[in-house]
Amino acid sequence: MLAIKSLKSRNLILLESISGSRSFGLATENSDTDIRGVYYLPKEDFFGLHYIPQISNETNDITYYEIGRFVELLQKNNPNILEVLASPEDCIQHKNPLMELLKPEDFLSKLCKDTFAGYAISQIRKAKGLNKKILNPIDKERKTILDFCYVLKNQGSVSLKKWLRESGKDQEKCGLVSIDNTKGMFALFYSETGDLNYKGIIQNEEANQVSVSSVPKDENPVAYLFCNLDAYSTYCKDYREYWKWVSERNEDRYNVNQTHGQNYDSKNMMHTIRLLQSCEQIFKTGSLNIRVENREELLEIKAGNWSYEAVMDKAESLIQSIEHYHSRSTLPEFPDLDKTTKILVNIREELYQIS
């Protein structure tokens, strides 16, 4: 099995470049050094049964792509891969002359609107979701469906729990009967002695719906109950997502965001704005230069010195600009697959000395 050490010892690396914040010109003293590159497989592996499309270290801060996989992702206008191909000269640590055959302009197309801006917009949605989670934390103690039940009273309603408490009744002694032609409405009966064997409003705390009981025809309801099952379902979904987010979030990064108090993931939003700027540049100029021209502005966003609203306004302005330049761009709708695949074939023929 090939590993990064083997790629280097066997001279299989075609391109190796510093990537990420350092290539964008956004590095600070605490920034990691990410490496991205391209390799080719030994002849026996490529023509045999051991094709390996990608090799990374355990932390994924060093990743190499097999030349075929690299070209395939370029043809799909993958932002990360296009940025590797467009690496600034001062970031390139090794480059085989054959890699000069792959030029960004042969791959840039209007598809970048989906891959660059589309991804950025998905991150904006995540930022809005994070904003909602930070501003609206959900208690660890999970609510039950009883919290979404209400008893009609006069011209309004009161919560079921309040009604039970004030009337001195137990939910276990209640019996519900569905009311025809309504949604979530029930007639509520009560058996003080419990001898009518009503099922209660819920049979256990984990119940996802109220219970209905068999009620003698001569019994009269003591109240009418509405169960807001839609609201309960929404709450359950929000509860699962919130506590999943809590369990998976990067605590150091979350604490930084809490410290600056702007209610969004500032590092992620900095890169989202940068990605939108790259997309705007592609359609405005027909080229990709990944070294940013507004370092200080982007670092201000990363530091949380911009309000959530200001960042969202900036993103919206860039999206509108992308739409404008995209509609006027002379870039092709898609990369020329025949041309770029032929370039890949030429590279492989040179590497494996095939004539």
Side-chain angles (χ1 to χ4, degrees):
M1 177 67 73
L2 280 176
I4 291 175
K5 185 176 181 180
S6 300
L7 293 180
K8 294 189 174 184
S9 64
R10 299 175 68 176
N11 296 318
L12 297 172
I13 293 177
L14 299 173
L15 175 68
E16 183 177 83
S17 180
I18 297 171
S19 65
S21 294
R22 297 191 183 280
S23 65
F24 303 140
L26 292 170
T28 61
E29 59 182 15
N30 297 321
S31 295
D32 296 328
T33 299
D34 295 327
I35 300 294
R36 295 291 180 268
V38 181
Y39 66 93
Y40 72 101
L41 289 167
K43 193 172 185 177
E44 62 273 16
D45 289 336
F46 178 67
F47 289 100
L49 299 175
H50 300 289
Y51 181 77
I52 305 170
Q54 180 177 321
I55 297 175
S56 303
N57 66 347
E58 291 183 356
T59 58
N60 287 320
D61 54 3
I62 302 177
T63 300
Y64 296 88
Y65 302 89
E66 199 279 327
I67 180 66
R69 178 60 174 160
F70 187 69
V71 171
E72 178 188 8
L73 292 172
L74 286 173
Q75 291 176 336
K76 293 178 179 179
N77 280 187
N78 180 291
N80 294 330
I81 304 304
L82 279 169
E83 288 170 349
V84 172
L85 187 61
S87 295
E89 289 297 325
D90 58 1
C91 290
I92 296 175
Q93 298 183 309
H94 171 74
K95 189 173 187 179
N96 186 296
L98 288 173
M99 291 300 295
E100 296 291 348
L101 297 174
L102 297 174
K103 303 181 185 303
E105 54 265 29
D106 287 331
F107 295 95
L108 293 176
S109 74
K110 288 188 175 181
L111 186 60
C112 288
K113 178 184 173 184
D114 294 330
T115 58
F116 279 75
Y119 176 77
I121 291 169
S122 74
Q123 294 305 297
I124 291 169
R125 289 179 183 144
K126 285 179 66 175
K128 290 179 178 178
L130 174 63
N131 178 261
K132 179 182 176 182
K133 288 180 174 68
I134 293 173
L135 294 179
N136 302 284
I138 296 177
D139 290 340
K140 183 65 174 177
E141 184 178 353
R142 190 177 181 277
K143 294 180 180 181
T144 72
I145 199 166
L146 292 180
D147 294 289
F148 297 85
C149 291
Y150 304 87
V151 172
L152 304 186
K153 185 176 182 180
N154 299 323
Q155 295 182 354
S157 66
V158 296
S159 72
L160 171 65
K161 285 187 170 181
K162 180 179 180 181
W163 181 83
L164 289 170
R165 186 171 60 251
E166 292 181 347
S167 62
K169 290 180 168 54
D170 299 322
Q171 77 90 10
E172 294 86 355
K173 296 179 179 180
C174 293
L176 298 181
V177 174
S178 300
I179 298 176
D180 292 342
N181 303 313
T182 67
K183 179 181 179 181
M185 289 296 302
F186 301 86
L188 189 156
F189 299 83
Y190 196 76
S191 174
E192 191 70 51
T193 61
D195 59 348
L196 295 177
N197 296 316
Y198 292 154
K199 293 183 179 179
I201 296 173
I202 58 172
Q203 295 185 7
N204 57 68
E205 294 291 311
E206 287 73 39
N208 288 320
Q209 57 186 7
V210 295
S211 300
V212 292
S213 299
S214 296
V215 177
K217 289 185 177 181
D218 58 348
E219 290 294 311
N220 294 315
V222 296
Y224 292 93
L225 177 142
F226 170 64
C227 176
N228 193 339
L229 191 57
D230 290 341
Y232 176 65
S233 297
T234 299
Y235 165 78
C236 291
K237 177 176 179 290
D238 291 342
Y239 182 92
R240 287 193 303 271
E241 290 180 352
Y242 178 81
W243 285 102
K244 182 176 184 290
W245 167 72
V246 169
S247 68
E248 295 177 352
R249 71 189 177 195
N250 181 313
E251 286 300 321
D252 290 338
R253 194 151 152 187
Y254 174 72
N255 290 332
V256 168
N257 294 327
Q258 287 293 87
T259 299
H260 63 57
Q262 295 295 356
N263 302 325
Y264 63 87
D265 186 333
S266 54
K267 181 177 180 180
N268 186 54
M269 284 310 298
M270 174 194 73
H271 284 298
T272 297
I273 295 298
R274 180 196 61 76
L275 203 60
L276 288 171
Q277 289 175 338
S278 292
C279 186
E280 179 189 46
Q281 177 197 93
I282 288 170
F283 295 126
K284 191 175 181 178
T285 67
S287 62
L288 176 61
N289 177 13
I290 68 171
R291 187 65 53 82
V292 302
E293 298 179 353
N294 59 331
R295 169 184 161 86
E296 295 307 318
E297 180 182 65
L298 290 170
L299 291 181
E300 284 285 300
I301 294 173
K302 180 182 179 183
N305 295 333
W306 282 42
S307 70
Y308 172 81
E309 292 75 17
V311 176
M312 291 298 116
D313 287 345
K314 175 81 172 178
E316 186 60 39
S317 176
L318 283 165
I319 291 169
Q320 291 178 4
S321 180
I322 289 167
E323 291 286 354
H324 171 78
Y325 287 111
H326 177 268
S327 66
R328 290 161 174 74
S329 173
T330 59
L331 287 175
E333 293 294 325
F334 303 96
D336 187 331
L337 299 186
D338 290 338
K339 177 182 177 181
T340 52
T341 300
K342 186 175 180 179
I343 293 172
L344 171 62
V345 171
N346 291 339
I347 291 174
R348 288 203 191 281
E349 287 176 342
E350 287 293 326
L351 291 172
Y352 297 122
Q353 296 296 303
I354 300 171
S355 58

